[in-house]
């Protein structure tokens, strides 16, 4: 039996008791019915109830109408797994099980998602999937890698150079970050939120601020929202430019690799001009921003961004016009639109496969409500498409930043945040540079946060990387990996 779901808009704050609650079978039926009607599962959030048992909230996005739908699972040790019919739920159900021990019965791959603890037996089966047969061999890479990338283990099942299957095990960066976001409201929370994924400091701080503001019932001023939006797009430009250079490096096209390494730094330096930090840390706080951009600084930034964007455009055109580069990018690491939709890809990886998902357009908040950036979409879901989407988004974000800095609205920088609403659930979505970033908080009857959760876009997209390697040569792995450039720390929390 499928029932009604509560509808709200991003960012949202609702009373817990207002969210429809279902027993196990009814919960799965309600969520499954909503998914079959075109929604996406964006989170499964466990929380402790007054009775000492565990409750679960499911959040689904109906992108075509800009609505988020909610329902609850009545306390139960298990419920029928959603993954069997909706593969995009697999990582969220694994996370829910290992964090709250609510078992999705019948889950086909109930393995640890992020908590690797040799002292405690992990939930589910921790062995790797193996392909058996003559001349099949296994290649293990990591968790320790050359260079400065973070730890992660990649297990390939190959026949010669051809990859049959890739399994990715993460969790080596698990720090228990969510535990630092509990209790009474604290200024430390913002610093934790912007540190969860170091290269998404502005995105993380913005999602946290929107979520907390919803819980407090306040809204930042138009000026603060505009400054946040400028910083968020500068962060996007910097990392897109850096990734395009890194893609050039992976195919031996060194001009763009070298140029973009320097230009990425130029855009990060623009963030430092605004906030005093190259990654924008310390800028976004609940209630507003800590630093102003006056007319003189805005004019200077516009000149610098215009110059940096022109240089980046020239460097990226070199890359995308080179036949040798296109020979490596075209058709490599393809994820079809059908597969991308089925496994729940988000962000630029989804857009490269032809899906028009973008929180800035589908669920706008802050400055995005008044000035929207056109969605950049690819067609083929390969490395070329992921590079092309980055290139288009760099142009459109630069245009947005220039226009916004040219007409910053008035308003105070900060508005005080009051006490948190008791017995409530708050959720905020932000389109960070990798994709949809979700922050959620649940309070008790005293207004203390008793459960907090973060869903980084990488939680959805790591499986896309594994899928795109099937049928590829194993030598394509570095290029495919870079074309996704997913977060380890943001996934592992």
């Amino acid at each position: 039996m499928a029932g009604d779901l509560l509808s709200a808009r991003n960012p949202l704050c609702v009373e817990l008791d207002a969210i429809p609650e279902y027993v196990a079978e009814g919960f799965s039926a309600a969520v499954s019915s909503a998914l079959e009607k075109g929604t996406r599962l964006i989170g499964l959030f466990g929380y402790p109830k007054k009775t000492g048992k565990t409750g679960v909230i499911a959040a689904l996005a109906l992108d075509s109408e800009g609505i988020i739908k909610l329902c609850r699972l009545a306390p139960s040790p298990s419920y029928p797994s959603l993954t069997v019919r909706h593969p995009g739920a697999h990582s969220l159900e694994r996370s829910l099980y290992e964090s709250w021990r609510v078992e999705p019965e019948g889950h086909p791959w109930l393995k640890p998602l992020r908590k690797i603890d040799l002292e405690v037996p992990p939930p589910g089966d921790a062995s790797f999937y193996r392909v058996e047969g003559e001349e099949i061999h296994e290649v293990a890479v990591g968790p320790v890698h050359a260079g400065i990338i973070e730890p992660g283990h990649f297990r390939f099942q190959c026949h010669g150079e051809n990859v049959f299957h890739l399994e990715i095990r993460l969790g080596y960066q698990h720090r228990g970050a969510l535990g630092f976001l509990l209790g009474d409201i604290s200024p430390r929370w913002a610093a934790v939120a912007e540190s969860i994924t170091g290269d998404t400091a502005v995105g993380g701080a913005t999602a946290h601020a929107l979520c907390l503001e919803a819980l407090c019932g306040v809204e930042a001023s138009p000026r603060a929202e505009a400054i946040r939006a400028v910083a968020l797009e500068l962060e996007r430009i910097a990392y897109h430019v850096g990734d395009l250079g890194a893609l050039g490096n992976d195919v031996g096209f060194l001009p763009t690799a070298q140029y973009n390494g320097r230009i990425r730094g130029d855009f990060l330096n623009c963030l430092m001009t605004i906030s005093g930090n190259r990654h924008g840390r310390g800028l976004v706080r609940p209630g507003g921003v800590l630093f102003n951009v006056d007319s003189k600084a805005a004019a200077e930034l516009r000149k610098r961004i215009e110059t940096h964007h022109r240089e980046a455009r020239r460097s990226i055109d070199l890359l995308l016009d080179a036949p040798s580069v296109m020979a490596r990018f075209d058709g490599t690491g393809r994820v079809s639109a059908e597969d991308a939709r089925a496994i729940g890809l988000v962000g630029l990886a989804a857009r490269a496969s032809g899906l028009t998902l973008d929180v800035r357009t589908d669920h706008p908040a802050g400055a995005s409500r008044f000035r929207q950036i056109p969605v950049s979409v690819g067609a083929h879901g390969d490395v070329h498409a992921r590079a092309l989407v980055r290139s288009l988004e760099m142009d459109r974000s630069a245009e947005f930043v220039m226009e916004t800095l040219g007409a910053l609205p008035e308003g105070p920088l900060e508005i005080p945040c009051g006490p948190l609403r008791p017995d409530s659930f708050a959720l905020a979505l932000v389109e960070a540079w990798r994709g949809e970033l979700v922050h959620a908080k649940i309070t008790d009857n005293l207004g203390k946060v008793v459960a907090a959760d973060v869903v980084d876009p990488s939680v959805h997209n790591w499986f896309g990387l594994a899928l795109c390697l099937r049928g590829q040569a194993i030598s394509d792995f570095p290029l495919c990996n870079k074309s996704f450039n997913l977060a380890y720390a943001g996934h592992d929390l």
Side-chain angles (χ1 to χ4, degrees), residues 79 101 132 137 174 201 302 482:
Y79 65 96
R101 289 298 189 269
E132 303 291 345
H137 62 99
H174 176 60
R302 280 166 54 87
K482 179 53 65 182

Side-chain angles (χ1 to χ4, degrees), residues 384-465:
H384 183 200
R386 290 187 280 277
L388 197 59
V389 169
R390 282 184 170 89
S391 172
L392 291 170
E393 291 190 350
M394 179 201 69
D395 289 341
R396 290 168 174 174
S397 293
E399 183 180 357
F400 173 88
V401 170
M402 295 288 284
E403 289 179 359
T404 304
L405 285 174
L408 284 172
E410 298 297 327
L413 293 184
E414 281 191 276
I415 294 175
C417 289
L420 306 183
R421 291 173 174 167
D423 290 323
S424 297
F425 171 69
L427 179 143
L429 307 180
V430 165
E431 187 69 23
W433 67 269
R434 283 191 180 91
E436 180 181 279
L437 177 59
V438 182
H439 276 231
K441 299 184 191 299
I442 298 164
T443 57
D444 64 8
N445 60 334
L446 300 176
K448 293 184 177 181
V449 174
V450 293
D453 209 345
V454 173
V455 183
D456 189 272
S458 302
V459 171
H460 300 284
N461 289 358
W462 275 110
F463 193 65
L465 172 62

